[in-house]
Amino acid sequence: MELTQEQKLYAEIVQKAWEDAEFKKELMTNPAEAIEKLTGKKINLPEGKTLVVRDQTDDTNIYINIPAKPKMDMELNEEQLEMVAGGGTVRDVFNGVLDFLDYMSTPPILR
């Protein structure tokens, strides 16, 4: 499976933080500015949202990230309605589930 642009950006940020202590320090204290410097692009956070970066590199700890509860009031598109109505194959449903899991595993800032 090919990585999305957001996943590639996430990997680039993590790799840079592993390799560059100064970048990691800036990422921890001012994440938006550090990412903007790295990418040369402005980050547009949704209104009322902040970007939080936590250092989870201590391998003596196990970390659990509790994401925001997904909103289940979203509408289905035509393709999804067709699958629900029985017009899709098992492969279509499986691919839809994989797409949803991929979407949910991507941090909201990168979506």
Side-chain angles (χ1 to χ4, degrees):
M1 180 174 12
E2 189 173 327
L3 295 177
T4 65
Q5 286 299 109
E6 292 83 6
Q7 290 168 324
K8 289 176 185 176
L9 174 59
Y10 179 75
E12 181 182 357
I13 292 166
V14 170
Q15 187 70 37
K16 179 77 171 169
W18 285 340
E19 296 171 352
D20 183 338
E22 282 303 310
F23 174 77
K24 180 179 174 181
K25 182 179 176 183
E26 185 175 359
L27 185 64
M28 300 290 297
T29 58
N30 194 344
E33 187 174 309
I35 294 169
E36 287 172 2
K37 284 181 185 176
L38 177 67
T39 64
K41 297 177 183 174
K42 177 88 171 126
I43 291 182
N44 296 314
L45 294 173
E47 190 172 327
K49 301 288 184 178
T50 57
L51 181 57
V52 177
V53 175
R54 297 280 188 245
D55 184 354
Q56 297 182 356
T57 57
D58 182 350
D59 62 2
T60 63
N61 293 317
I62 296 173
Y63 300 93
I64 297 175
N65 182 44
I66 302 172
K69 187 175 180 180
K71 292 184 170 101
M72 300 310 272
D73 61 344
M74 60 184 146
E75 292 186 29
L76 299 177
N77 63 31
E78 289 298 320
E79 182 180 338
Q80 294 165 328
L81 285 171
E82 183 67 23
M83 284 193 313
V84 171
T89 65
V90 172
R91 172 175 260 150
D92 294 334
V93 173
F94 182 72
N95 286 335
V97 169
L98 289 177
D99 289 344
F100 176 75
L101 293 174
D102 181 51
Y103 173 80
M104 293 306 296
S105 68
T106 304
I109 184 66
L110 302 178
R111 290 184 194 150

